[in-house]
């Protein structure tokens, strides 16, 4: 018995002797710096956002279809019943959750680029507004960060104003993804949804519309600023019908986040992209960014480039229930002049040269 106890004591002391150097080695190893930890948190914040917008809707749909053929089919049946019951909610103001705008993840998302919001004029809570967001870019990072998250201080800069951002109506037909979009304050880019916010939701609403849309994303590339705007007049007509002021905004740096393979006008690939865009509502862009492990590798994450969204001076618009084409054209031209002024006054402050021009097609 004494022999066994002695053997056990030697074994334990041997283990302690081997553990102590290991602990000393572990404690002596360099820990990640605060800067490195912040960088990884920022990268993860952007990663979850990109994956959410690219995969959440499709993956949720596939999972619900799969569950139909398993013993968990009641989950799919109940959710289908919920969507039918809740079908009109996106068109009627949505179901935003203010707490989502305050998530700390959005601060890391903001700091990755970083994204900054610049105010040039006050917006009175006694009016409603349509904010034109330019340019579209690939994923509308500036518009999302400034108008959906509270990380850049929109609420503090424009007290009493509730921002909304419009996106493709088809996104609100995808399970789970629709709930995610509505919780942040996104709504379909339809006349009914925008009209509801401008007429039945009180005052102090600011509906941001990325006017160039999917067609504009096909021309997105660094060093080129091209907007699809000349024949986009529906937002002006809606502003007149509801007496909503028009506010231009421009996100400097939006086109620098990705590299895109741009096909020339008239090429067969460009025609395929345009036909797909007309049928599906979005354009199949061929683009790439940085990888997850290295800035030098290629992947689907945006490059860390500063984005500055400047919100311009409101164009005062009267309420005309049935505006004529001439009146729409007049206010459309006023809006373009205000946007050009905003661009020219701020371009040299945020990375562009004095000779850079804004092309409007």
């Amino acid at each position: 018995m004494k022999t066994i106890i002695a053997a056990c004591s030697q074994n334990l002391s041997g283990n302690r002797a081997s553990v102590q150097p290991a602990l000393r080695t572990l404690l002596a190893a360099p820990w990640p710096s605060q800067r490195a930890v912040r960088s990884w948190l920022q990268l993860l914040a952007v990663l979850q956002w990109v994956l959410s917008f690219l995969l959440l809707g499709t993956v949720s749909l596939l999972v619900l279809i799969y569950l139909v053929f398993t013993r968990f089919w009641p989950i799919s049946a109940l959710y289908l019943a919920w969507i039918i019951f809740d079908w009109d909610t996106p068109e009627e103001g949505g179901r935003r959750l203010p707490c989502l705008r305050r998530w700390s993840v959005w601060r890391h998302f903001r700091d990755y680029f970083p994204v900054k919001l610049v105010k040039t004029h006050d917006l009175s809570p006694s009016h409603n507004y349509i904010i034109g967001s330019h340019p579209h870019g690939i994923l509308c990072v500036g518009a999302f960060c400034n108008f959906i998250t509270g990380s850049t201080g929109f609420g503090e800069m424009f007290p009493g104003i509730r921002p909304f951002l419009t996106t493709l109506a088809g996104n609100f037909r995808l399970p789970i993804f629709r709930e995610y979009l509505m919780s942040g304050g996104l709504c379909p880019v339809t006349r009914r949804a925008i009209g509801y916010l401008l007429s039945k939701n009180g005052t102090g609403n600011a509906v941001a519309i990325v006017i160039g849309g999917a067609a504009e994303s096909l021309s997105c590339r660094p060093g080129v600023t091209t907007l699809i705007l000349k024949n986009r007049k529906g937002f002006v007509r809606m502003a007149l019908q509801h007496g909503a002021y028009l506010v231009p905004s421009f996100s400097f740096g939006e086109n620098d986040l990705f590299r895109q393979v741009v096909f020339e006008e008239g090429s067969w690939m460009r025609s395929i992209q345009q036909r797909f865009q007309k049928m599906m509502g979005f354009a199949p862009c061929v683009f790439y960014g940085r990888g997850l492990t290295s800035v030098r590798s290629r992947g689907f994450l945006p490059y860390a480039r500063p984005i500055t969204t400047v919100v311009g001076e409101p164009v005062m618009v009267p309420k005309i229930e049935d505006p004529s084409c001439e009146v729409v054209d007049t206010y459309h031209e006023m809006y373009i002049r205000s946007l050009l002024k905003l661009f020219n006054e701020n371009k040299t402050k945020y990375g562009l040269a004095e000779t850079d021009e804004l092309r409007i097609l």
Side-chain angles (χ1 to χ4, degrees):
M1 187 67 179
K2 291 181 179 179
T3 305
I4 295 175
I5 294 173
C8 289
S9 299
Q10 289 178 359
N11 187 38
L12 288 173
S13 61
N15 285 342
R16 283 195 296 269
S18 61
V19 168
Q20 288 175 355
L23 287 174
R24 283 197 295 269
T25 303
L26 180 63
L27 293 174
W31 288 86
S33 64
Q34 290 185 352
R35 182 177 179 181
V37 171
R38 284 198 301 269
S39 296
W40 273 104
L41 288 174
Q42 292 166 10
L43 193 64
L44 291 174
V46 174
L47 175 64
Q48 66 82 25
W49 179 78
V50 172
L51 292 179
S52 296
F53 271 82
L54 295 182
L55 298 178
L56 180 59
T58 303
V59 171
S60 299
L61 179 61
L62 293 176
V63 168
L64 288 176
I65 292 174
Y66 169 76
L67 292 178
V68 170
F69 302 99
T70 68
R71 60 192 179 94
F72 298 104
W73 64 266
I75 296 176
S76 298
L78 288 172
Y79 190 78
L80 177 60
W82 164 251
I83 287 183
I84 294 173
F85 173 78
D86 197 53
W87 190 261
D88 292 330
T89 300
E91 304 274 356
E92 297 176 351
R95 188 169 45 248
R96 67 188 302 161
L97 298 176
C99 61
L100 185 141
R101 290 173 57 84
R102 297 191 294 268
W103 278 2
S104 60
V105 68
W106 301 131
R107 294 197 298 273
H108 299 302
F109 180 87
R110 171 202 64 196
D111 293 338
Y112 170 84
F113 298 97
V115 182
K116 182 181 178 182
L117 180 65
V118 175
K119 168 187 172 180
T120 62
H121 292 78
D122 291 329
L123 298 182
S124 171
S126 60
H127 297 287
N128 285 326
Y129 303 89
I130 290 180
I131 300 178
S133 180
H134 311 275
H136 183 284
I138 297 294
L139 294 178
C140 303
V141 172
F144 177 86
C145 190
N146 287 298
F147 302 131
I148 294 302
T149 79
S151 61
T152 56
F154 185 96
E156 292 74 26
M157 291 186 190
F158 303 101
I161 303 295
R162 294 181 297 275
F164 296 85
L165 179 63
T166 58
T167 185
L168 294 174
N171 290 330
F172 294 89
R173 305 301 178 236
L174 294 172
I176 309 300
F177 190 44
R178 70 190 295 273
E179 322 299 340
Y180 177 75
L181 294 177
M182 284 193 291
S183 65
L186 284 99
C187 63
V189 60
T190 62
R191 291 184 179 276
R192 180 184 174 190
I194 298 171
Y196 182 94
L197 293 173
L198 296 178
S199 62
K200 299 180 180 180
N201 202 44
T203 59
N205 301 291
V207 183
I209 304 175
V210 187
I211 298 168
E216 192 172 277
S217 65
L218 295 176
S219 301
C220 168
R221 52 182 166 177
V224 178
T225 310
T226 302
L227 304 184
I228 306 296
L229 183 57
K230 275 188 178 179
N231 296 319
R232 301 291 175 98
K233 301 179 181 179
F235 73 103
V236 178
R237 184 175 294 276
M238 289 208 68
L240 286 163
Q241 290 173 340
H242 298 284
Y245 289 6
L246 291 168
V247 182
S249 72
F250 196 93
S251 293
F252 294 91
E254 184 73 45
N255 285 351
D256 298 330
L257 303 183
F258 294 95
R259 301 291 183 268
Q260 181 179 187
V261 179
V262 179
F263 301 101
E264 297 298 328
E265 287 289 345
S267 64
W268 64 274
M269 279 299 296
R270 186 67 168 219
S271 63
I272 290 176
Q273 287 178 313
Q274 291 171 340
R275 289 178 184 176
F276 191 92
Q277 181 256 318
K278 289 180 180 178
M279 289 188 298
M280 304 300 294
F282 65 94
C285 301
V286 182
F287 68 91
Y288 65 90
R290 62 156 290 178
L292 181 61
T293 57
S294 170
V295 177
R296 296 180 180 85
S297 62
R298 292 188 179 183
F300 54 88
L301 294 178
Y303 292 107
R305 302 286 187 271
I307 303 172
T308 303
T309 301
V310 185
V311 179
E313 181 179 4
V315 177
M316 292 184 289
V317 175
K319 185 174 181 179
I320 305 174
E321 292 186 3
D322 188 20
S324 65
C325 293
E326 291 77 13
V327 172
V328 172
D329 290 342
T330 297
Y331 282 93
H332 186 261
E333 291 173 3
M334 291 172 62
Y335 176 82
I336 291 179
R337 286 198 299 270
S338 181
L339 175 61
L340 288 170
K341 178 183 176 184
L342 175 71
F343 177 82
N344 290 324
E345 288 180 350
N346 292 278
K347 61 184 179 181
T348 57
K349 299 177 185 177
Y350 305 114
L352 299 182
E354 184 65 42
T355 55
D356 287 340
E357 296 183 356
L358 187 63
R359 296 176 56 202
I360 297 179
L361 302 180

